[in-house]
Amino acid sequence: MMKARILKYFVVLTMMFPMSSCGDYLDVVPDNIAVIEEAFDTRESSLRFLATLYNYLPPFGHYNNNPALAAGDEIEVNDNVARNWSSRRIARGGQNIIAPDLGYWGNNGTVTNLFIALRDCNIFLENVDRPFDLTEDEKIRWIAEAKFLKAYFHFYLMRMYGPMPITRENIDVSSGVDEVRVKRDPVDDVTDYIVELLDEAIPDLPLVIQDTGNELGRITSPIAASIKARVLVTAASPLFNGNTDYSNFVDHDGVQLISSEYDETKWVEAAAACSEAIELAHEAGHQLYRFQQAPSDWSDTTVLKLSIRGSMTERWNDEVIWGGSDSQVSGGFQSWAQAKIANGLTAETRQSAPSTWSPPMRIAEMFYTENGVPMNEDLDYDYANRYEVGTANSAHKHYVRTGFETAKLHLNREPRFYASIGFDGGIWFGHGVKSDDEALFVRGKKGEQSGDLDGRLYSNSGYYAKKMVYYENVQQTSTAGYSARSYPFPIVRLADLYLMYAEALNESSGPAASHEWVDLVRERAGLEGVVTSWANHSNNPDKPTTQEGMRDIIQQERLIELCFEGIRFWDLRRWKKASEYLNSDIRGWNSQGETTDTYYQVTSLGTYKFLSRDYLWPIAEEDMIANSNLVQNPGW
């Protein structure tokens, strides 16, 4: 009888969203407990169930299963390495409706069906009163955590699919067929429900984690408030706010699923949520990260670059509001972004750093000049001749090897460029050498240490995602190994929150209100404020004074500051700019060039493809057949 009670959830879910087997379901119950009463007998068994809810969080730090890492235009990986990746197929326009790649709605065998996660959140909330030894304070906190996770799973699906069935509670097995065949709820309704859950959770979550040895990664009130801000910024953005492309996107009853009427109050609500989140983050001690461990003989430039890199790679630094304790950026993953720079590498030892996680040229060109404005706006930058070769002099000492011939594109750029991107001739501080005068550098031409020596493990574009690599990692030369320190994937950090606030303020109150928050991020990056930089160096000096101009500045600031952190992929979609960015050649340097002249040739590495239908994931055909009340996303 007791087993039947838990199995009813499995039966109903199978009717809603087909699953592969009963075994798949039972495997997610903590310790294989198949009876609800036993799962909630004690505090300890209930805590294990709560841990299972956390385990449903998407793998933020997974190179393939997080589409935001390699399914957009931020990273290029060699065909011979990534040919069968789901994320690569998406980036090349290969998404499908038979078995959607990285589809979190349904069961495709590679990622989790998040409707199962929502079901288990409801099971937990329905039964958390059962444990006899659970204190009232613990129960209140655990309920808030489960509500947050339930809200986050709804948000992840909404961002990916748009309208979705709100899962307030599980459907009883005695329900009729019509109740089981749920409909998709409009995006605005889903947003309201997510915010409702988060508002209920925030007051009952801890401000900070006290037991840092065991609980880092569990949800705090600043995390929940930050996700609320992200949800409302997403809902206020052009994809879901006044998108006339979806004017005819209705369900079978004629209910419009994405509003085609623009509503400015959504930005007002988003700005208020960002303000609340920032206040909580500051109260909890979160601040922009600055490298503090430098000896006196390190240059200010080196310390600045380490502050920028460390905002991502320094474990649990004060800027990270939410880090994925179970989504580590492993040493193996970092080795993909690591250029082969260690002196004394041999054919046997060099393989420990694949060096295949390659940003395309578009990412290198995205960063500002040293004057803090875009390359094509800078009055003093030779934009037309950026692909020509120049020689680094002593003024570039901490950025490019002195006397090295490299592209002019690599000279006189902002500090975040040098902290985030590795390139031929570029200084790579750390890696076992903690001296400015002896710092290692990249030699990326074919046949050289960092370049193509084996036809497989090298940067296809000539660039490396240096920002992802902790500065003390070392590729061993005596043995075939890579010594690395992993770190939690930064799901939300304070700079992201500041820039979301700036965006919401610009849209709701005008550009002047947003300057302060952008300038805080720029100051940490070693740049002057936007008004000063544009007035002194841009061919469009009034750009920060208009809403449209500031919108462009904030968007580029986000793309730069949050590079390689899984943000760009979703930002381009919510801004409705994916069609512009993701239909283009993938460009890089000629990795097969053996000389300066032959290497510094702009080369096409393939093509990104994106159709308007790709803004939203398709629902798998089998789910559409199983539930006749569902409507497919436009274009599929």
Side-chain angles (χ1 to χ4, degrees), residues 149-413:
L149 292 168
K150 185 178 176 182
Y152 189 78
F153 298 142
H154 274 90
F155 172 55
Y156 203 91
L157 287 166
M158 183 192 86
R159 187 169 57 172
M160 187 173 280
Y161 293 95
M164 59 165 289
I166 295 174
T167 310
R168 293 181 181 272
E169 56 188 22
N170 291 334
I171 303 171
D172 194 273
V173 71
S174 62
S175 300
V177 172
D178 288 342
E179 291 180 79
V180 172
R181 290 177 176 166
V182 294
K183 300 177 181 180
R184 302 178 72 178
D185 290 295
V187 164
D188 286 348
D189 291 351
V190 179
T191 300
D192 289 344
Y193 181 60
I194 294 169
V195 170
E196 175 187 325
L197 287 171
L198 293 172
D199 282 341
E200 292 173 2
I202 289 170
D204 295 331
L205 290 165
L207 182 68
V208 296
I209 296 297
Q210 299 293 342
D211 184 0
T212 57
N214 294 309
E215 294 187 353
L216 283 175
R218 288 181 67 174
I219 302 306
T220 62
S221 55
I223 292 173
S226 297
I227 293 303
K228 176 183 172 182
R230 184 174 284 177
V231 169
L232 288 172
V233 165
T234 300
S237 297
L239 181 64
F240 293 139
N241 188 10
N243 188 350
T244 57
D245 292 344
Y246 292 140
S247 297
N248 297 318
F249 186 19
V250 298
D251 68 10
H252 294 310
D253 296 322
V255 175
Q256 189 161 4
L257 297 176
I258 295 177
S259 175
S260 59
E261 295 183 7
Y262 177 73
D263 183 357
E264 186 178 325
T265 63
K266 291 182 179 181
W267 282 115
V268 176
E269 294 171 0
C274 290
S275 179
E276 174 193 12
I278 289 171
E279 183 176 344
L280 278 173
H282 287 170
E283 186 180 351
H286 293 290
Q287 56 186 326
L288 296 179
Y289 174 76
R290 286 175 170 82
F291 189 85
Q292 300 290 342
Q293 302 85 40
S296 58
D297 60 340
W298 287 10
S299 68
D300 291 342
T301 300
T302 292
V303 174
L304 175 58
K305 289 189 295 180
L306 292 177
S307 294
I308 295 165
R309 289 175 68 180
S311 67
M312 181 175 186
T313 62
E314 188 61 48
R315 288 177 178 172
W316 303 112
N317 71 78
D318 287 340
E319 185 170 345
V320 175
I321 297 174
W322 185 14
S325 56
D326 291 329
S327 282
Q328 298 282 314
V329 183
S330 66
F333 194 171
Q334 293 179 64
S335 74
W336 289 20
Q338 173 73 63
K340 300 174 177 66
I341 56 174
N343 293 322
L345 287 173
T346 65
E348 291 76 21
T349 58
R350 70 187 308 274
Q351 304 301 314
S352 60
S355 307
T356 52
W357 199 253
S358 313
M361 183 171 288
R362 163 176 278 166
I363 302 304
E365 294 186 293
M366 167 186 73
F367 289 84
Y368 296 139
T369 69
E370 62 186 351
N371 293 321
V373 298
M375 289 191 303
N376 61 345
E377 290 186 30
D378 195 319
L379 295 168
D380 302 316
Y381 191 81
D382 188 10
Y383 180 72
N385 297 310
R386 64 194 183 280
Y387 301 137
E388 293 182 0
V389 173
T391 302
N393 57 39
S394 58
H396 306 113
K397 173 182 177 182
H398 302 300
Y399 297 134
V400 186
R401 179 78 168 182
T402 301
F404 198 95
E405 289 186 314
T406 189
K408 290 181 180 179
L409 178 65
H410 303 154
L411 304 176
N412 306 316
R413 304 297 299 281

Side-chain angles (χ1 to χ4, degrees), residues 13 98 179 233-234 239 520 535 583-584 624:
L13 198 80
I98 304 301
E179 291 180 79
V233 165
T234 300
L239 181 64
L520 284 171
N583 282 308
S584 60
M624 296 294 298

Side-chain angles (χ1 to χ4, degrees), residues 112-146:
T112 301
N113 180 347
L114 287 183
F115 285 99
I116 298 177
L118 290 172
R119 173 211 57 193
D120 281 4
C121 286
N122 286 336
I123 290 175
F124 182 88
L125 291 168
E126 291 167 2
N127 291 277
V128 70
D129 283 328
R130 291 181 178 274
F132 72 92
D133 53 348
L134 182 63
T135 69
E136 186 66 18
D137 286 346
E138 286 177 321
K139 182 176 74 172
I140 290 171
R141 179 186 175 187
W142 292 7
I143 288 172
E145 288 178 271

